[in-house]
Amino acid sequence: SNATASVRTTWFRALYAVRAPHVRGRFRLTDRVEDGRHGVRLRMAASVDLDGDDDLVLLGFHGFGNDEHEMIRIIDALYAGTGREPNYISFRGTYDRPFIGNSYWYPDGCGVAERRRECTRVGEAVVKLLRSPVYDRFRKVLIGFSQGGYLSYRMVLEHPDVFDAAVLMSPSFKGEEDAKTIEGSTWFALCYGDGDHTIPASDQRNAREVLARTGRLFHHVCPGLGHGINDEEIAALHSWLFGADRA
């Protein structure tokens, strides 16, 4: 099809390995997926066990000025103590900062329309990637920090039947006062620090109100935390993600 033809995958480093006799089919890769129609290039690092018992795959989106390793560290922390190795695809922002390094998903300070447009382009490319039969058996969990949290929210809003859960860590939420009702059955976890002054308090309240209307929100506030992540937040998200009703 034209849609399929528009997606060009270029492998520039891939390592396939049998991790242990009872764990087969895990692959680790760094990959790029380019959508020629929109000019979106998805850069990612992944570790996925195609034949394992764990049916969760976490899709990570970092904050402004970071890279895919930020979310890999967070995902590894969430899995600590489980005795399981996480399945994940961690994406790098579509724009790079010249000379300074690292990446972002949309320009800092850009308008609402531009921010939404960039999120739409990325979301469409990610959903195309997930159409592969390889991912059919997995429950798909978005996890994002700051810009990546907002991107994850927009992806659920625009693709309500794709994702089982979304973990939004200190997401930006500017311009979402007129947010549409979120359809589908995606569960949300929303976390902020009570000392976070990077995300205005009004945007934090709006995020909570918008997501609470779904009836599927876990909301956690970390005392003394600014615009960041700490052990308490990881512990709260671990309990929510691997609780008896979600394991």
Side-chain angles (χ1 to χ4, degrees), residues 88-110:
Y88 64 78
I89 308 173
S90 187
F91 297 87
R92 183 186 299 183
T94 43
Y95 295 95
D96 293 328
R97 299 193 301 170
F99 305 109
I100 297 174
N102 292 337
S103 307
Y104 55 92
W105 299 102
Y106 49 82
D108 190 30
C110 71

Side-chain angles (χ1 to χ4, degrees), residues 61-185:
F61 300 89
H62 62 78
F64 181 88
N66 218 302
D67 62 23
E68 67 274 19
H69 299 290
E70 175 184 64
M71 300 313 301
I72 294 173
R73 291 190 295 270
I74 293 168
I75 291 168
D76 283 343
L78 287 172
Y79 266 72
T82 65
R84 296 147 63 181
E85 189 172 356
N87 298 307
Y88 64 78
I89 308 173
S90 187
F91 297 87
R92 183 186 299 183
T94 43
Y95 295 95
D96 293 328
R97 299 193 301 170
F99 305 109
I100 297 174
N102 292 337
S103 307
Y104 55 92
W105 299 102
Y106 49 82
D108 190 30
C110 71
V112 175
E114 182 178 1
R115 186 181 307 119
R116 290 179 175 177
R117 183 169 60 251
E118 294 296 333
C119 290
T120 295
R121 294 168 68 237
V122 173
E124 289 177 351
V126 169
V127 169
K128 284 181 180 180
L129 176 69
L130 296 176
R131 286 176 185 162
S132 167
V134 167
Y135 301 110
D136 284 349
R137 77 174 186 89
F138 289 102
R139 292 180 290 158
K140 301 164 184 69
V141 179
L142 297 164
I143 179 168
F145 173 72
S146 196
Q147 276 198 354
Y150 178 75
L151 171 59
S152 298
Y153 153 73
R154 292 296 305 183
M155 288 171 64
V156 175
L157 187 66
E158 297 181 6
H159 305 278
D161 300 319
V162 174
F163 306 103
D164 294 88
V167 179
L168 313 182
M169 309 172 81
S170 306
S172 54
F173 221 76
K174 184 177 181 180
E176 295 299 317
E177 294 81 8
D178 61 344
K180 299 177 182 178
T181 300
I182 303 172
E183 305 294 342
S185 57

Side-chain angles (χ1 to χ4, degrees), residues 163-218:
F163 306 103
D164 294 88
V167 179
L168 313 182
M169 309 172 81
S170 306
S172 54
F173 221 76
K174 184 177 181 180
E176 295 299 317
E177 294 81 8
D178 61 344
K180 299 177 182 178
T181 300
I182 303 172
E183 305 294 342
S185 57
T186 303
W187 287 84
F188 292 92
L190 175 67
C191 297
Y192 286 109
D194 66 2
D196 188 344
H197 303 298
T198 300
I199 308 300
S202 58
D203 290 348
Q204 295 183 37
R205 285 194 302 271
N206 189 40
R208 183 175 68 251
E209 292 169 0
V210 168
L211 299 177
R213 288 200 294 267
T214 67
R216 302 181 301 276
L217 173 64
F218 166 72

